[in-house]
Amino acid sequence: MSDSMLHTRLPAFHIVIPARYASQRFPQKLMADLGGKPVLQWVHELSRQAGAQSVTVATDHKDIYCAAQEFGANVVMTRDDHENGTERLAEVAKKMAWSGDEIIVNVQGDEPFLPVALIHASVQALHQDVEAEMATVACAIDDMQDYLNPNVVKVVCDDQQRALYFSRAPIPWDRDGLANDHDHSGFLPADLPVLRHIGLYVYRASLLNKYAELPMSPLERWEKLEQLRFLHQGIKVQVAIADSLPSHGVDTPEDLEKLRHQLSL
């Protein structure tokens, strides 16, 4: 199926790229060179390819603002006191005066090789579930170490593919099948529906408009997972299933070097 055919079947949507200048592990990473252009420019270009009604870079720093303008992006300067990308999206949605039923995709500025197909799948998932206010993406886990790794976030879904819970803990737990595997050296049961959360978020503008009113939940505080704030409030989160895990983003200088190596092959 061609991209143009797929675009005609997709609902209208907007993409916002939160582009924070500061980063504890890798300062100024969005401006780092990758194959002759900044990481952020790669993200902007893949976002343009997705067929969105609009693509907006949202930043709190003049250097990113100027750089984004140079490669032709639409840029919005936002406040510098946002705690996360969702707050920045909410400010943009308000400035753009998007109506409550419009769909907004949060594409992280440090994901230069995010598959456009994942954007399409998550937009379609939210569009088809009229009761859900947001959507995200997950893929299957078949590796025991990933299952046990607290840095790999897991999600459990109901029979409508809506999220029941996100956790750093290994969920769901096969009590009988894993009870005797004390060193966890075995394989995951083939029929255990273990899903790894992929941090791509899609929102209805109505949810972003009320985000500031949603208090941090105890679950979010303990797990350090922002998406639990929504589940705690009873907000329905639809989950699109990806065939595989996409390329890793740029969290560290080492990540950047790996991507540079991939481009050179």
Side-chain angles (χ1 to χ4, degrees):
M1 180 182 298
S2 70
D3 283 347
S4 60
M5 289 175 64
L6 183 56
H7 289 172
T8 61
R9 300 182 185 183
L10 282 170
F13 64 98
H14 304 277
I15 290 178
V16 178
I17 307 170
R20 192 167 63 94
Y21 187 77
S23 173
Q24 291 182 340
R25 286 186 290 181
F26 190 1
Q28 305 177 36
K29 63 182 179 180
L30 301 189
M31 293 293 94
D33 179 80
L34 177 61
K37 52 191 175 186
V39 169
L40 181 61
Q41 186 173 348
W42 285 88
V43 178
H44 180 261
E45 290 175 358
L46 74 85
S47 296
R48 291 285 301 274
Q49 293 168 10
Q53 270 190 308
S54 68
V55 177
T56 304
V57 174
T59 188
D60 59 358
H61 198 281
K62 63 179 182 179
D63 287 355
I64 290 182
Y65 186 95
C66 293
Q69 280 195 321
E70 286 181 7
F71 59 71
N74 177 46
V75 197
V76 171
M77 185 67 79
T78 61
R79 303 198 318 267
D80 61 3
D81 59 346
H82 291 308
E83 294 185 6
N84 52 53
T86 308
E87 288 186 4
R88 206 174 302 282
L89 253 71
E91 182 181 349
V92 173
K94 185 176 181 180
K95 285 184 174 181
M96 297 296 189
W98 286 325
S99 63
D101 59 349
E102 293 193 74
I103 295 175
I104 298 100
V105 184
N106 180 346
V107 174
Q108 298 296 326
D110 58 4
E111 297 282 351
F113 298 140
L114 178 72
V116 169
L118 285 190
I119 297 175
H120 292 166
S122 57
V123 168
Q124 197 68 270
L126 181 58
H127 175 65
Q128 292 176 348
D129 187 343
V130 295
E131 295 182 1
E133 295 183 71
M134 63 180 289
T136 189
V137 186
C139 66
I141 292 178
D142 55 14
D143 181 83
M144 179 67 78
Q145 295 309 308
D146 284 345
Y147 178 57
L148 299 173
N149 186 347
N151 293 317
V152 175
V153 178
K154 276 69 68 174
V155 57
V156 174
C157 300
D158 66 13
D159 64 356
Q160 297 183 69
Q161 210 56 50
R162 292 173 182 160
L164 288 170
Y165 192 65
F166 297 87
S167 182
R168 298 183 181 279
I171 59 170
W173 183 258
D174 180 7
R175 188 196 67 173
D176 296 332
L178 295 171
N180 297 319
D181 188 13
H182 300 298
D183 61 358
H184 303 305
S185 59
F187 296 98
L188 288 170
D191 59 346
L192 190 65
V194 182
L195 294 174
R196 175 181 189 141
H197 180 226
I198 300 170
L200 174 67
Y201 294 104
V202 182
Y203 306 90
R204 298 194 193 279
S206 56
L207 178 57
L208 291 175
N209 290 339
K210 64 184 180 183
Y211 178 77
E213 303 169 7
L214 302 178
M216 179 182 289
S217 74
L219 298 173
E220 177 186 0
R221 190 176 302 113
W222 293 325
E223 293 258 22
K224 298 297 186 284
L225 297 174
E226 180 195 350
Q227 58 269 40
L228 292 175
R229 182 180 310 192
F230 300 105
L231 292 187
H232 188 77
Q233 296 292 329
I235 291 165
K236 295 178 174 62
V237 181
Q238 181 60 228
V239 181
I241 305 301
D243 294 331
S244 61
L245 186 68
S247 294
H248 191 61
V250 181
D251 291 332
T252 66
E254 291 74 23
D255 293 335
L256 181 63
E257 287 305 318
K258 288 178 182 177
L259 295 181
R260 285 172 173 167
H261 178 68
Q262 289 179 23
L263 285 176
S264 68
L265 295 178

